[in-house]
Amino acid sequence: MRIFLRLLLVTGALLTGAWLHAAERMPPAPARYFNDYTGTVSAATASTLDRQLELYERSSSNQLLVVVFLKMETDSSVEDYAVRVAQSWKVGQKGKNNGAVLFVFKADHQLYIQVGYGLEPTLTDATCHDIIENILKPRFRQGNFDVGLSEAVSAMIAATKGEY
C-alpha cells in the first residue's frame, strides 16, 4: 500500500510540474525593436519608434525593445515573467547586459520595464516606475497609446544617456 501511495504522489507531482511548465509560454525573440502584436499603435508610429530604437543602439550599443502583447502567457507575476522572457531573448550585448525591454500586456493591464544589469545605474527602478506611472498609464487611460509609447521610448533613451 505504501509503494502505491508513493507512486501516486510521485506521479501527481510530475504531472503537476508538467502542467505548471506548460501553462507558461515564452514568446520568440522579436525581429524588430518596436513590436506591436495587437495592432494598437499606428503603423507610422510603430515604424518611427522602431527606427529611433535602431539608431539609438547603433550610436550607444544599448539595446532597448518595446513589445505590446495582448496578454501574458503565464500564471506568474509580470515581474517574474518579464525577467524570464528578457533573459531568453538575450537582450543587450553579451558581456555588457546593456538591454532593456518595455513590456505592455494590454488585456492584463500590465506594464513592466525589465532592465539588464548594465543599464541599471541609469535606467533605475525609480526611473522605470516614473515612466510607467507618469507617462504610460495616463496616456493609456486616455486611449493615446501612440503618444504614451513615444514618450516612454524617449524617456528610456534619455535615462540611459543620463539625461532623464
Side-chain angles (χ1 to χ4, degrees):
M1 184 69 163
R2 283 187 184 175
I3 293 173
F4 177 73
L5 287 175
R6 284 185 186 168
L7 183 59
L8 187 61
L9 285 173
V10 169
T11 303
L14 290 173
L15 290 175
T16 301
W19 175 78
L20 288 174
H21 184 67
E24 181 168 275
R25 187 183 73 77
M26 288 292 152
R32 296 182 308 271
Y33 295 89
F34 185 86
N35 305 271
D36 179 6
Y37 299 108
T38 63
T40 300
V41 176
S42 72
T45 298
S47 178
T48 298
L49 291 175
D50 189 61
R51 184 74 178 141
Q52 181 182 6
L53 291 166
E54 178 184 5
L55 291 173
Y56 179 62
E57 183 181 14
R58 285 186 188 172
S59 68
S60 69
S61 82
N62 297 326
Q63 185 179 52
L64 305 178
L65 303 179
V66 177
V67 289
V68 181
F69 291 113
L70 182 59
K71 62 181 189 151
M72 295 191 307
E73 298 288 337
T74 186
D75 293 328
S76 67
S77 70
V78 66
E79 295 87 358
D80 290 340
Y81 187 57
V83 167
R84 287 191 299 280
V85 172
Q87 286 174 345
S88 75
W89 290 350
K90 298 180 183 0
V91 180
Q93 290 185 340
K94 187 175 183 177
K96 289 187 175 182
N97 204 5
N98 59 339
V101 184
L102 166 56
F103 289 94
V104 177
F105 299 102
K106 193 173 173 184
D108 296 325
H109 301 282
Q110 294 286 338
L111 304 166
Y112 193 75
I113 301 174
Q114 176 58 42
V115 181
Y117 291 122
L119 291 180
E120 281 184 350
T122 54
L123 191 54
T124 64
D125 289 343
T127 302
C128 292
H129 181 267
D130 186 56
I131 291 169
I132 289 170
E133 294 298 321
N134 299 316
I135 295 174
L136 288 170
K137 284 184 178 181
R139 305 308 180 279
F140 285 9
R141 283 185 194 115
Q142 297 167 349
N144 205 337
F145 291 90
D146 289 49
V147 171
L149 288 166
S150 295
E151 290 178 357
V153 165
S154 293
M156 290 173 67
I157 290 172
T160 57
K161 288 180 174 180
E163 300 169 355
Y164 184 78

